[in-house]
Structures are given as structure tokens and as C-alpha cells.
Amino acid sequence: MSTSTESSAPAAETPAGDGDDGASVTGGDGRVAARSRLATAFAAIFGAVSGAVSGRASRYFAGPGWQRTKRSADWVMLVVVVGALGWTLCSSVFLGTRAVSNRGIAVVHLGGQPEVQIMPVGGAAPRYEVLPSQVLTGSQTAQVSISIANDSPDGIVITPGTLTGPYLAGAVGLRPDNGTGYILGNGTIHFVGTVTVSCDAAAAVARALVHGGSAEQQQQPTAIAFELRDTNKVMHKAYLVIDTTAAALQGRVCTR
């Protein structure tokens, strides 16, 4: 009886231990399998959603809706680029125009040496290659060329002018020798015309040129009046004094 009791106790304990180990292994495998099934389900859902989105995107980009949208975007981009370019060009033109307008008034003066050239009517050689030695009387007619210089950096246009003086038979019309009246910036042009001088009235001035001495000061100068158009198309009146003694023009016409 004793032996039977002792041998049965270990036999009962051993199956209990084996039963605990089996239960532990079975629970771990279940959790791993559950996680695996969850991951598989998530991958399947993600793949299905990605495929659906990709398919719809492919159908949209291949369809007419995307083509219309793309054309609209291209037109908008073209308008923006052209507008920016146009604004740049307009700004440049505006700045250039403003820069020119800031130089609006041209400056002219009598230029060249001699300022007034006297030539006999008919195209003969100019007078005064040597000093004059004879005083002329009566009325004398001569062609004159008067040099006008432009001190401005821009070209200007001058109109035909009018020459007046104390011993002239009357006001004399002068015209630009280039026919247009345009003078380049820092350029020169000539006014030409034919004058008739009363040498009897201008005798004192002519004698001063031939014999020396000073001529009587005149109240009325020999001068040119004309108009010029600046870079802004604005007309300005110009008045250039040739002399105040009538010697530079009328006195010289009355000598040879």
C-alpha cells in the first residue's frame, strides 16, 4: 500500500506539468497568427485604395477635362509672360521719353568763323580774302551766309528766319541751306539770303572798316529772328544778334 501511494503521486504530478507547457505554446501561436491576418488585411485594403486612386487619376489625365484645364493654364501663363514683357517695354519707353523731355529746350548761337560770309550775287568768290580798301556808295546787293550752331545734345529743327538791320532796305528772309532746317546735336547749319544795303546811310561804318577807328553805336542791332522745334515738338522763338554797330554785315557789304 505504501509503495502504491508513493509511486502514484509522481505520476499524477508529471502530466500536470506537461499540460501547462502545452497551453503556453498554443496561446503565443494564436497572437502571431492574428497579427499576420491583420497585416494582410491592411495591405489588401491599401492596395485596393491605391489602385482605385491611381486608376481614377490615370483616367482624368487621359480625359478631355484635363486637356481643357491644361490649355487654360497654358493661356494664363502666356498672358502673364506677355503682360510682364509689355510692362517692361512700356516702362523703358516711358523712362526714355522722360529723359528726353528733361532736355527740352535747345540752345543755339552764332557759330563758325567768320560768323557772316559775304558773297557777290552771281556766285563769284567770297569777299574779304584781304582787308577791304574801298568804300562803296549807293545800294549794294550781296548774298550772305550766317552760321548757326546747335549746342544741344539732341537734334532740332529751325524754321526760315528774318534778318533785320538799321541800313537794310527791308527785312530779309533767310532759309536753311540744307532745305529741312534740321540740325544734329552739336551740329551747325547755315542761313542764306540776299540783302540790299543803303551804303550812303552806312558810310560811317564802311569807312571805319577801311580806314580804322570805331563805328557809331547803333540803337537797332543786326539780328535774326526764327523759331526752332525741340525734342518735345514744342516751338521756341530764337533771337540772335549779329552785331550792334552794323559793321559785321552791312558795313562789309558796302566795302571791297
Side-chain angles (χ1 to χ4, degrees):
M1 291 297 293
S2 317
T3 303
S4 175
T5 302
E6 291 175 359
S7 60
S8 62
E13 290 175 359
T14 300
D18 292 342
D20 291 340
D21 291 341
S24 175
V25 171
T26 301
D29 289 344
R31 286 192 295 272
V32 171
R35 285 195 298 269
S36 177
R37 287 192 298 272
L38 181 61
T40 300
F42 179 77
I45 294 171
F46 180 77
V49 172
S50 298
V53 172
S54 176
R56 296 195 62 174
S58 298
R59 288 193 297 273
Y60 173 74
F61 286 120
W66 166 247
Q67 298 299 324
R68 289 192 297 271
T69 303
K70 185 176 182 301
R71 282 195 298 270
S72 299
D74 291 341
W75 276 108
V76 170
M77 181 61 69
L78 179 62
V79 169
V80 170
V81 171
V82 172
L85 180 61
W87 173 256
T88 301
L89 292 177
C90 290
S91 298
S92 300
V93 171
F94 172 74
L95 291 176
T97 303
R98 185 172 61 187
V100 171
S101 67
N102 289 339
R103 297 198 302 252
I105 299 177
V107 180
V108 295
H109 68 276
L110 294 171
Q113 291 295 329
E115 293 177 351
V116 180
Q117 188 175 34
I118 309 297
M119 299 163 289
V121 175
R127 294 182 186 177
Y128 310 120
E129 294 182 357
V130 296
L131 292 176
S133 60
Q134 181 182 354
V135 176
L136 303 178
T137 60
S139 293
Q140 298 292 327
T141 300
Q143 292 180 342
V144 296
S145 176
I146 303 171
S147 179
I148 306 295
N150 173 22
D151 286 343
S152 303
D154 302 305
I156 59 173
V157 177
I158 61 176
T159 65
T162 301
L163 176 70
T164 55
Y167 304 130
L168 296 177
V172 178
L174 300 176
R175 67 185 186 279
D177 62 349
N178 66 357
T180 63
Y182 178 74
I183 314 178
L184 292 170
N186 301 310
T188 301
I189 200 174
H190 293 84
F191 271 159
V192 296
T194 302
V195 298
T196 299
V197 181
S198 173
C199 291
D200 293 335
V205 178
R207 283 195 297 269
L209 291 175
V210 173
H211 303 295
S214 60
E216 181 183 352
Q217 187 78 15
Q218 299 295 326
Q219 295 300 316
Q220 178 189 0
T222 307
I224 307 171
F226 59 94
E227 292 184 334
L228 63 89
R229 186 172 69 242
D230 63 24
T231 52
N232 295 327
K233 312 300 183 183
V234 177
M235 300 297 293
H236 303 272
K237 294 185 181 298
Y239 186 77
L240 300 181
V241 175
I242 297 175
D243 60 46
T244 58
T245 62
L249 193 150
Q250 292 149 99
R252 289 175 59 186
V253 170
C254 294
T255 62
R256 69 174 177 211

mmCIF file of all heavy atoms in Angstrom, residues 116 118 138-144 146 161-174 193-203 205 218 220-225 239-240 242-243 245-254:
data_model
loop_
_atom_site.group_PDB
_atom_site.id
_atom_site.type_symbol
_atom_site.label_atom_id
_atom_site.label_comp_id
_atom_site.label_asym_id
_atom_site.label_seq_id
_atom_site.Cartn_x
_atom_site.Cartn_y
_atom_site.Cartn_z
ATOM 1 N N VAL A 116 29.545 135.546 -90.366
ATOM 2 C CA VAL A 116 28.790 136.011 -91.524
ATOM 3 C C VAL A 116 29.727 136.019 -92.726
ATOM 4 O O VAL A 116 30.821 136.584 -92.665
ATOM 5 C CB VAL A 116 28.223 137.427 -91.302
ATOM 6 C CG1 VAL A 116 27.436 137.882 -92.536
ATOM 7 C CG2 VAL A 116 27.343 137.444 -90.062
ATOM 8 N N ILE A 118 30.089 137.095 -96.719
ATOM 9 C CA ILE A 118 29.508 137.957 -97.743
ATOM 10 C C ILE A 118 29.967 137.464 -99.104
ATOM 11 O O ILE A 118 31.166 137.261 -99.338
ATOM 12 C CB ILE A 118 29.949 139.422 -97.560
ATOM 13 C CG1 ILE A 118 29.698 139.880 -96.116
ATOM 14 C CG2 ILE A 118 29.248 140.331 -98.559
ATOM 15 C CD1 ILE A 118 28.262 139.885 -95.709
ATOM 16 N N GLY A 138 25.756 154.212 -102.761
ATOM 17 C CA GLY A 138 24.506 153.770 -103.350
ATOM 18 C C GLY A 138 23.969 152.522 -102.650
ATOM 19 O O GLY A 138 24.279 152.230 -101.485
ATOM 20 N N SER A 139 23.176 151.754 -103.350
ATOM 21 C CA SER A 139 22.623 150.489 -102.831
ATOM 22 C C SER A 139 23.470 149.334 -103.331
ATOM 23 O O SER A 139 23.758 149.240 -104.523
ATOM 24 C CB SER A 139 21.172 150.321 -103.268
ATOM 25 O OG SER A 139 20.351 151.282 -102.659
ATOM 26 N N GLN A 140 23.839 148.461 -102.439
ATOM 27 C CA GLN A 140 24.637 147.287 -102.788
ATOM 28 C C GLN A 140 23.874 146.019 -102.385
ATOM 29 O O GLN A 140 23.286 145.955 -101.304
ATOM 30 C CB GLN A 140 26.001 147.314 -102.090
ATOM 31 C CG GLN A 140 26.887 148.495 -102.479
ATOM 32 C CD GLN A 140 27.344 148.391 -103.915
ATOM 33 O OE1 GLN A 140 27.562 147.285 -104.443
ATOM 34 N NE2 GLN A 140 27.505 149.555 -104.575
ATOM 35 N N THR A 141 23.896 145.055 -103.290
ATOM 36 C CA THR A 141 23.218 143.776 -103.041
ATOM 37 C C THR A 141 24.258 142.675 -102.919
ATOM 38 O O THR A 141 25.219 142.634 -103.705
ATOM 39 C CB THR A 141 22.233 143.440 -104.173
ATOM 40 O OG1 THR A 141 21.254 144.474 -104.244
ATOM 41 C CG2 THR A 141 21.528 142.114 -103.908
ATOM 42 N N ALA A 142 24.070 141.789 -101.975
ATOM 43 C CA ALA A 142 25.023 140.688 -101.776
ATOM 44 C C ALA A 142 24.288 139.492 -101.173
ATOM 45 O O ALA A 142 23.231 139.645 -100.537
ATOM 46 C CB ALA A 142 26.167 141.120 -100.871
ATOM 47 N N GLN A 143 24.863 138.336 -101.404
ATOM 48 C CA GLN A 143 24.373 137.133 -100.746
ATOM 49 C C GLN A 143 25.112 136.958 -99.426
ATOM 50 O O GLN A 143 26.332 137.184 -99.359
ATOM 51 C CB GLN A 143 24.583 135.905 -101.640
ATOM 52 C CG GLN A 143 23.726 135.899 -102.891
ATOM 53 C CD GLN A 143 23.966 134.673 -103.746
ATOM 54 O OE1 GLN A 143 24.980 133.993 -103.601
ATOM 55 N NE2 GLN A 143 23.038 134.389 -104.658
ATOM 56 N N VAL A 144 24.395 136.518 -98.406
ATOM 57 C CA VAL A 144 25.007 136.318 -97.093
ATOM 58 C C VAL A 144 24.758 134.885 -96.638
ATOM 59 O O VAL A 144 23.740 134.273 -96.980
ATOM 60 C CB VAL A 144 24.456 137.309 -96.048
ATOM 61 C CG1 VAL A 144 24.812 138.734 -96.427
ATOM 62 C CG2 VAL A 144 22.954 137.157 -95.875
ATOM 63 N N ILE A 146 25.011 132.851 -92.939
ATOM 64 C CA ILE A 146 25.202 133.046 -91.500
ATOM 65 C C ILE A 146 25.167 131.684 -90.824
ATOM 66 O O ILE A 146 24.205 130.929 -90.966
ATOM 67 C CB ILE A 146 24.109 133.966 -90.926
ATOM 68 C CG1 ILE A 146 24.127 135.314 -91.670
ATOM 69 C CG2 ILE A 146 24.306 134.161 -89.429
ATOM 70 C CD1 ILE A 146 22.954 136.197 -91.333
ATOM 71 N N GLY A 161 14.215 132.121 -91.242
ATOM 72 C CA GLY A 161 14.311 133.266 -90.354
ATOM 73 C C GLY A 161 14.176 134.588 -91.086
ATOM 74 O O GLY A 161 14.067 134.644 -92.311
ATOM 75 N N THR A 162 14.184 135.657 -90.297
ATOM 76 C CA THR A 162 14.084 137.015 -90.827
ATOM 77 C C THR A 162 15.252 137.832 -90.301
ATOM 78 O O THR A 162 15.489 137.884 -89.084
ATOM 79 C CB THR A 162 12.759 137.671 -90.401
ATOM 80 O OG1 THR A 162 11.676 136.881 -90.888
ATOM 81 C CG2 THR A 162 12.655 139.071 -90.973
ATOM 82 N N LEU A 163 15.975 138.476 -91.220
ATOM 83 C CA LEU A 163 17.120 139.307 -90.870
ATOM 84 C C LEU A 163 16.706 140.780 -90.918
ATOM 85 O O LEU A 163 16.103 141.236 -91.888
ATOM 86 C CB LEU A 163 18.262 139.060 -91.857
ATOM 87 C CG LEU A 163 19.508 139.930 -91.693
ATOM 88 C CD1 LEU A 163 20.250 139.560 -90.426
ATOM 89 C CD2 LEU A 163 20.421 139.782 -92.909
ATOM 90 N N THR A 164 17.040 141.510 -89.865
ATOM 91 C CA THR A 164 16.751 142.953 -89.826
ATOM 92 C C THR A 164 18.014 143.699 -89.426
ATOM 93 O O THR A 164 18.899 143.148 -88.750
ATOM 94 C CB THR A 164 15.623 143.272 -88.829
ATOM 95 O OG1 THR A 164 15.979 142.746 -87.542
ATOM 96 C CG2 THR A 164 14.310 142.660 -89.275
ATOM 97 N N GLY A 165 18.111 144.955 -89.836
ATOM 98 C CA GLY A 165 19.261 145.795 -89.505
ATOM 99 C C GLY A 165 18.991 147.240 -89.846
ATOM 100 O O GLY A 165 18.086 147.552 -90.636
ATOM 101 N N PRO A 166 19.777 148.190 -89.286
ATOM 102 C CA PRO A 166 19.493 149.619 -89.453
ATOM 103 C C PRO A 166 19.687 150.142 -90.876
ATOM 104 O O PRO A 166 19.043 151.119 -91.252
ATOM 105 C CB PRO A 166 20.470 150.287 -88.492
ATOM 106 C CG PRO A 166 21.566 149.289 -88.301
ATOM 107 C CD PRO A 166 20.914 147.956 -88.390
ATOM 108 N N TYR A 167 20.538 149.490 -91.699
ATOM 109 C CA TYR A 167 20.825 150.021 -93.030
ATOM 110 C C TYR A 167 20.317 149.108 -94.136
ATOM 111 O O TYR A 167 20.638 149.326 -95.303
ATOM 112 C CB TYR A 167 22.327 150.254 -93.211
ATOM 113 C CG TYR A 167 22.903 151.158 -92.151
ATOM 114 C CD1 TYR A 167 24.045 150.793 -91.456
ATOM 115 C CD2 TYR A 167 22.290 152.366 -91.838
ATOM 116 C CE1 TYR A 167 24.577 151.623 -90.485
ATOM 117 C CE2 TYR A 167 22.803 153.202 -90.857
ATOM 118 C CZ TYR A 167 23.943 152.820 -90.177
ATOM 119 O OH TYR A 167 24.448 153.647 -89.200
ATOM 120 N N LEU A 168 19.549 148.111 -93.795
ATOM 121 C CA LEU A 168 18.969 147.241 -94.812
ATOM 122 C C LEU A 168 17.776 147.931 -95.462
ATOM 123 O O LEU A 168 17.042 148.684 -94.804
ATOM 124 C CB LEU A 168 18.525 145.909 -94.194
ATOM 125 C CG LEU A 168 19.628 145.022 -93.613
ATOM 126 C CD1 LEU A 168 19.010 143.776 -92.980
ATOM 127 C CD2 LEU A 168 20.644 144.636 -94.673
ATOM 128 N N ALA A 169 17.576 147.626 -96.769
ATOM 129 C CA ALA A 169 16.431 148.207 -97.464
ATOM 130 C C ALA A 169 15.112 147.692 -96.894
ATOM 131 O O ALA A 169 14.070 148.349 -97.030
ATOM 132 C CB ALA A 169 16.524 147.902 -98.953
ATOM 133 N N GLY A 170 15.122 146.571 -96.259
ATOM 134 C CA GLY A 170 13.930 145.996 -95.635
ATOM 135 C C GLY A 170 14.292 144.671 -94.979
ATOM 136 O O GLY A 170 15.433 144.201 -95.046
ATOM 137 N N ALA A 171 13.332 144.066 -94.297
ATOM 138 C CA ALA A 171 13.568 142.767 -93.667
ATOM 139 C C ALA A 171 13.885 141.728 -94.738
ATOM 140 O O ALA A 171 13.291 141.730 -95.827
ATOM 141 C CB ALA A 171 12.352 142.344 -92.863
ATOM 142 N N VAL A 172 14.824 140.859 -94.454
ATOM 143 C CA VAL A 172 15.312 139.879 -95.423
ATOM 144 C C VAL A 172 14.959 138.469 -94.941
ATOM 145 O O VAL A 172 15.221 138.126 -93.771
ATOM 146 C CB VAL A 172 16.840 140.002 -95.602
ATOM 147 C CG1 VAL A 172 17.342 138.938 -96.577
ATOM 148 C CG2 VAL A 172 17.204 141.396 -96.080
ATOM 149 N N GLY A 173 14.382 137.686 -95.826
ATOM 150 C CA GLY A 173 14.090 136.300 -95.479
ATOM 151 C C GLY A 173 15.328 135.425 -95.635
ATOM 152 O O GLY A 173 16.066 135.524 -96.620
ATOM 153 N N LEU A 174 15.569 134.586 -94.649
ATOM 154 C CA LEU A 174 16.698 133.649 -94.675
ATOM 155 C C LEU A 174 16.151 132.227 -94.630
ATOM 156 O O LEU A 174 15.169 131.949 -93.948
ATOM 157 C CB LEU A 174 17.623 133.875 -93.479
ATOM 158 C CG LEU A 174 18.270 135.262 -93.359
ATOM 159 C CD1 LEU A 174 19.078 135.345 -92.067
ATOM 160 C CD2 LEU A 174 19.158 135.552 -94.567
ATOM 161 N N GLY A 193 20.637 134.083 -97.652
ATOM 162 C CA GLY A 193 19.675 135.020 -98.207
ATOM 163 C C GLY A 193 20.395 136.124 -98.969
ATOM 164 O O GLY A 193 21.625 136.174 -99.029
ATOM 165 N N THR A 194 19.641 137.002 -99.553
ATOM 166 C CA THR A 194 20.180 138.121 -100.327
ATOM 167 C C THR A 194 19.749 139.423 -99.672
ATOM 168 O O THR A 194 18.554 139.639 -99.426
ATOM 169 C CB THR A 194 19.674 138.068 -101.777
ATOM 170 O OG1 THR A 194 20.062 136.827 -102.364
ATOM 171 C CG2 THR A 194 20.266 139.215 -102.590
ATOM 172 N N VAL A 195 20.728 140.305 -99.392
ATOM 173 C CA VAL A 195 20.458 141.565 -98.710
ATOM 174 C C VAL A 195 20.745 142.731 -99.647
ATOM 175 O O VAL A 195 21.599 142.656 -100.533
ATOM 176 C CB VAL A 195 21.307 141.706 -97.427
ATOM 177 C CG1 VAL A 195 20.975 140.600 -96.442
ATOM 178 C CG2 VAL A 195 22.791 141.713 -97.754
ATOM 179 N N THR A 196 20.010 143.802 -99.447
ATOM 180 C CA THR A 196 20.269 145.068 -100.138
ATOM 181 C C THR A 196 20.515 146.127 -99.069
ATOM 182 O O THR A 196 19.657 146.342 -98.188
ATOM 183 C CB THR A 196 19.084 145.474 -101.019
ATOM 184 O OG1 THR A 196 18.877 144.470 -102.013
ATOM 185 C CG2 THR A 196 19.369 146.814 -101.721
ATOM 186 N N VAL A 197 21.696 146.771 -99.130
ATOM 187 C CA VAL A 197 22.123 147.702 -98.095
ATOM 188 C C VAL A 197 22.224 149.110 -98.686
ATOM 189 O O VAL A 197 22.745 149.297 -99.793
ATOM 190 C CB VAL A 197 23.486 147.286 -97.507
ATOM 191 C CG1 VAL A 197 23.907 148.248 -96.398
ATOM 192 C CG2 VAL A 197 23.424 145.858 -96.983
ATOM 193 N N SER A 198 21.754 150.100 -97.946
ATOM 194 C CA SER A 198 21.934 151.505 -98.308
ATOM 195 C C SER A 198 23.310 151.946 -97.818
ATOM 196 O O SER A 198 23.479 152.276 -96.628
ATOM 197 C CB SER A 198 20.840 152.372 -97.681
ATOM 198 O OG SER A 198 21.110 153.736 -97.905
ATOM 199 N N CYS A 199 24.274 151.939 -98.742
ATOM 200 C CA CYS A 199 25.649 152.247 -98.342
ATOM 201 C C CYS A 199 25.844 153.731 -98.025
ATOM 202 O O CYS A 199 26.785 154.093 -97.307
ATOM 203 C CB CYS A 199 26.620 151.821 -99.436
ATOM 204 S SG CYS A 199 26.709 150.008 -99.598
ATOM 205 N N ASP A 200 25.021 154.619 -98.569
ATOM 206 C CA ASP A 200 25.111 156.025 -98.205
ATOM 207 C C ASP A 200 24.792 156.201 -96.725
ATOM 208 O O ASP A 200 25.457 156.980 -96.016
ATOM 209 C CB ASP A 200 24.168 156.865 -99.058
ATOM 210 C CG ASP A 200 24.586 156.883 -100.529
ATOM 211 O OD1 ASP A 200 25.789 156.667 -100.796
ATOM 212 O OD2 ASP A 200 23.710 157.085 -101.385
ATOM 213 N N ALA A 201 23.794 155.448 -96.242
ATOM 214 C CA ALA A 201 23.449 155.531 -94.823
ATOM 215 C C ALA A 201 24.504 154.833 -93.970
ATOM 216 O O ALA A 201 24.761 155.235 -92.825
ATOM 217 C CB ALA A 201 22.077 154.927 -94.586
ATOM 218 N N ALA A 202 25.132 153.797 -94.503
ATOM 219 C CA ALA A 202 26.112 153.024 -93.749
ATOM 220 C C ALA A 202 27.538 153.482 -94.007
ATOM 221 O O ALA A 202 28.498 152.767 -93.688
ATOM 222 C CB ALA A 202 25.974 151.556 -94.099
ATOM 223 N N ALA A 203 27.729 154.703 -94.573
ATOM 224 C CA ALA A 203 29.067 155.172 -94.958
ATOM 225 C C ALA A 203 30.027 155.222 -93.778
ATOM 226 O O ALA A 203 31.205 154.841 -93.884
ATOM 227 C CB ALA A 203 28.967 156.545 -95.633
ATOM 228 N N VAL A 205 30.088 153.478 -91.071
ATOM 229 C CA VAL A 205 30.501 152.126 -90.684
ATOM 230 C C VAL A 205 31.505 151.567 -91.692
ATOM 231 O O VAL A 205 32.527 150.972 -91.324
ATOM 232 C CB VAL A 205 29.269 151.208 -90.570
ATOM 233 C CG1 VAL A 205 29.696 149.790 -90.219
ATOM 234 C CG2 VAL A 205 28.304 151.734 -89.529
ATOM 235 N N GLN A 218 24.867 151.660 -82.854
ATOM 236 C CA GLN A 218 23.502 151.740 -83.375
ATOM 237 C C GLN A 218 22.510 151.311 -82.296
ATOM 238 O O GLN A 218 22.787 150.437 -81.475
ATOM 239 C CB GLN A 218 23.364 150.835 -84.613
ATOM 240 C CG GLN A 218 24.279 151.230 -85.758
ATOM 241 C CD GLN A 218 23.911 152.593 -86.313
ATOM 242 O OE1 GLN A 218 22.734 152.968 -86.335
ATOM 243 N NE2 GLN A 218 24.899 153.340 -86.760
ATOM 244 N N GLN A 220 19.594 150.018 -83.144
ATOM 245 C CA GLN A 220 18.966 148.799 -83.666
ATOM 246 C C GLN A 220 20.068 147.828 -84.089
ATOM 247 O O GLN A 220 20.887 148.150 -84.955
ATOM 248 C CB GLN A 220 18.077 149.125 -84.868
ATOM 249 C CG GLN A 220 17.433 147.879 -85.488
ATOM 250 C CD GLN A 220 16.739 148.201 -86.808
ATOM 251 O OE1 GLN A 220 16.736 149.351 -87.250
ATOM 252 N NE2 GLN A 220 16.172 147.179 -87.427
ATOM 253 N N PRO A 221 20.136 146.631 -83.519
ATOM 254 C CA PRO A 221 21.174 145.679 -83.922
ATOM 255 C C PRO A 221 20.821 144.984 -85.226
ATOM 256 O O PRO A 221 19.669 145.015 -85.673
ATOM 257 C CB PRO A 221 21.197 144.683 -82.763
ATOM 258 C CG PRO A 221 19.779 144.677 -82.281
ATOM 259 C CD PRO A 221 19.283 146.084 -82.450
ATOM 260 N N THR A 222 21.814 144.387 -85.833
ATOM 261 C CA THR A 222 21.569 143.462 -86.937
ATOM 262 C C THR A 222 21.304 142.102 -86.300
ATOM 263 O O THR A 222 22.148 141.582 -85.566
ATOM 264 C CB THR A 222 22.777 143.381 -87.875
ATOM 265 O OG1 THR A 222 23.137 144.704 -88.283
ATOM 266 C CG2 THR A 222 22.449 142.543 -89.095
ATOM 267 N N ALA A 223 20.136 141.516 -86.559
ATOM 268 C CA ALA A 223 19.740 140.315 -85.820
ATOM 269 C C ALA A 223 18.890 139.402 -86.688
ATOM 270 O O ALA A 223 18.325 139.821 -87.701
ATOM 271 C CB ALA A 223 18.980 140.697 -84.556
ATOM 272 N N ILE A 224 18.817 138.146 -86.271
ATOM 273 C CA ILE A 224 17.989 137.138 -86.933
ATOM 274 C C ILE A 224 16.925 136.671 -85.947
ATOM 275 O O ILE A 224 17.226 136.369 -84.790
ATOM 276 C CB ILE A 224 18.820 135.906 -87.360
ATOM 277 C CG1 ILE A 224 20.017 136.333 -88.198
ATOM 278 C CG2 ILE A 224 17.965 134.915 -88.135
ATOM 279 C CD1 ILE A 224 20.975 135.187 -88.462
ATOM 280 N N ALA A 225 15.698 136.598 -86.417
ATOM 281 C CA ALA A 225 14.598 136.042 -85.617
ATOM 282 C C ALA A 225 14.070 134.803 -86.330
ATOM 283 O O ALA A 225 13.834 134.829 -87.534
ATOM 284 C CB ALA A 225 13.486 137.064 -85.433
ATOM 285 N N TYR A 239 16.315 134.545 -81.053
ATOM 286 C CA TYR A 239 16.708 135.889 -81.499
ATOM 287 C C TYR A 239 18.218 135.983 -81.321
ATOM 288 O O TYR A 239 18.709 136.012 -80.195
ATOM 289 C CB TYR A 239 15.982 136.947 -80.675
ATOM 290 C CG TYR A 239 16.194 138.373 -81.114
ATOM 291 C CD1 TYR A 239 15.533 138.880 -82.223
ATOM 292 C CD2 TYR A 239 17.042 139.220 -80.401
ATOM 293 C CE1 TYR A 239 15.700 140.199 -82.621
ATOM 294 C CE2 TYR A 239 17.231 140.533 -80.797
ATOM 295 C CZ TYR A 239 16.558 141.018 -81.916
ATOM 296 O OH TYR A 239 16.736 142.322 -82.303
ATOM 297 N N LEU A 240 18.946 136.008 -82.419
ATOM 298 C CA LEU A 240 20.403 136.051 -82.385
ATOM 299 C C LEU A 240 20.894 137.375 -82.930
ATOM 300 O O LEU A 240 20.552 137.768 -84.050
ATOM 301 C CB LEU A 240 20.991 134.903 -83.208
ATOM 302 C CG LEU A 240 20.623 133.479 -82.762
ATOM 303 C CD1 LEU A 240 21.295 132.458 -83.669
ATOM 304 C CD2 LEU A 240 21.007 133.249 -81.316
ATOM 305 N N ILE A 242 23.671 139.664 -84.469
ATOM 306 C CA ILE A 242 24.920 139.561 -85.238
ATOM 307 C C ILE A 242 25.882 140.675 -84.839
ATOM 308 O O ILE A 242 27.074 140.450 -84.641
ATOM 309 C CB ILE A 242 24.625 139.613 -86.746
ATOM 310 C CG1 ILE A 242 23.771 138.400 -87.139
ATOM 311 C CG2 ILE A 242 25.911 139.645 -87.550
ATOM 312 C CD1 ILE A 242 23.325 138.408 -88.585
ATOM 313 N N ASP A 243 25.379 141.873 -84.725
ATOM 314 C CA ASP A 243 26.214 142.997 -84.292
ATOM 315 C C ASP A 243 25.331 144.120 -83.779
ATOM 316 O O ASP A 243 24.118 144.126 -84.006
ATOM 317 C CB ASP A 243 27.131 143.490 -85.418
ATOM 318 C CG ASP A 243 26.338 143.972 -86.631
ATOM 319 O OD1 ASP A 243 25.360 144.717 -86.453
ATOM 320 O OD2 ASP A 243 26.695 143.589 -87.755
ATOM 321 N N THR A 245 26.684 147.391 -84.256
ATOM 322 C CA THR A 245 27.242 148.547 -84.963
ATOM 323 C C THR A 245 27.008 148.466 -86.458
ATOM 324 O O THR A 245 27.417 149.369 -87.182
ATOM 325 C CB THR A 245 28.756 148.633 -84.716
ATOM 326 O OG1 THR A 245 29.375 147.455 -85.248
ATOM 327 C CG2 THR A 245 29.067 148.742 -83.232
ATOM 328 N N ALA A 246 26.392 147.388 -86.951
ATOM 329 C CA ALA A 246 26.142 147.146 -88.377
ATOM 330 C C ALA A 246 27.430 146.865 -89.137
ATOM 331 O O ALA A 246 27.418 146.789 -90.367
ATOM 332 C CB ALA A 246 25.394 148.319 -89.016
ATOM 333 N N ALA A 247 28.548 146.708 -88.453
ATOM 334 C CA ALA A 247 29.823 146.502 -89.141
ATOM 335 C C ALA A 247 29.951 145.085 -89.684
ATOM 336 O O ALA A 247 30.493 144.882 -90.780
ATOM 337 C CB ALA A 247 30.977 146.814 -88.194
ATOM 338 N N ALA A 248 29.479 144.084 -88.932
ATOM 339 C CA ALA A 248 29.703 142.694 -89.328
ATOM 340 C C ALA A 248 29.019 142.344 -90.623
ATOM 341 O O ALA A 248 29.512 141.511 -91.385
ATOM 342 C CB ALA A 248 29.244 141.743 -88.221
ATOM 343 N N LEU A 249 27.905 142.967 -90.939
ATOM 344 C CA LEU A 249 27.170 142.628 -92.148
ATOM 345 C C LEU A 249 27.034 143.816 -93.091
ATOM 346 O O LEU A 249 27.559 143.821 -94.205
ATOM 347 C CB LEU A 249 25.805 142.051 -91.798
ATOM 348 C CG LEU A 249 25.040 141.361 -92.919
ATOM 349 C CD1 LEU A 249 24.146 140.264 -92.362
ATOM 350 C CD2 LEU A 249 24.196 142.318 -93.742
ATOM 351 N N GLN A 250 26.354 144.867 -92.670
ATOM 352 C CA GLN A 250 26.056 145.967 -93.588
ATOM 353 C C GLN A 250 27.295 146.771 -93.953
ATOM 354 O O GLN A 250 27.476 147.178 -95.101
ATOM 355 C CB GLN A 250 24.975 146.863 -92.956
ATOM 356 C CG GLN A 250 23.647 146.148 -92.861
ATOM 357 C CD GLN A 250 22.806 146.576 -91.678
ATOM 358 O OE1 GLN A 250 21.896 147.386 -91.834
ATOM 359 N NE2 GLN A 250 23.128 146.057 -90.507
ATOM 360 N N GLY A 251 28.148 147.006 -92.978
ATOM 361 C CA GLY A 251 29.394 147.713 -93.304
ATOM 362 C C GLY A 251 30.260 146.934 -94.277
ATOM 363 O O GLY A 251 30.875 147.498 -95.184
ATOM 364 N N ARG A 252 30.300 145.639 -94.147
ATOM 365 C CA ARG A 252 31.127 144.817 -95.034
ATOM 366 C C ARG A 252 30.552 144.749 -96.435
ATOM 367 O O ARG A 252 31.291 144.678 -97.410
ATOM 368 C CB ARG A 252 31.281 143.416 -94.434
ATOM 369 C CG ARG A 252 32.165 143.388 -93.191
ATOM 370 C CD ARG A 252 32.199 142.016 -92.562
ATOM 371 N NE ARG A 252 32.706 141.008 -93.493
ATOM 372 C CZ ARG A 252 32.721 139.712 -93.215
ATOM 373 N NH1 ARG A 252 32.230 139.274 -92.066
ATOM 374 N NH2 ARG A 252 33.209 138.863 -94.095
ATOM 375 N N VAL A 253 29.211 144.743 -96.556
ATOM 376 C CA VAL A 253 28.600 144.753 -97.869
ATOM 377 C C VAL A 253 28.971 146.037 -98.621
ATOM 378 O O VAL A 253 29.125 146.039 -99.848
ATOM 379 C CB VAL A 253 27.063 144.604 -97.752
ATOM 380 C CG1 VAL A 253 26.380 144.863 -99.095
ATOM 381 C CG2 VAL A 253 26.708 143.223 -97.234
ATOM 382 N N CYS A 254 29.183 147.136 -97.889
ATOM 383 C CA CYS A 254 29.478 148.441 -98.503
ATOM 384 C C CYS A 254 30.964 148.698 -98.686
ATOM 385 O O CYS A 254 31.387 149.852 -98.824
ATOM 386 C CB CYS A 254 28.836 149.547 -97.675
ATOM 387 S SG CYS A 254 27.016 149.488 -97.700
#
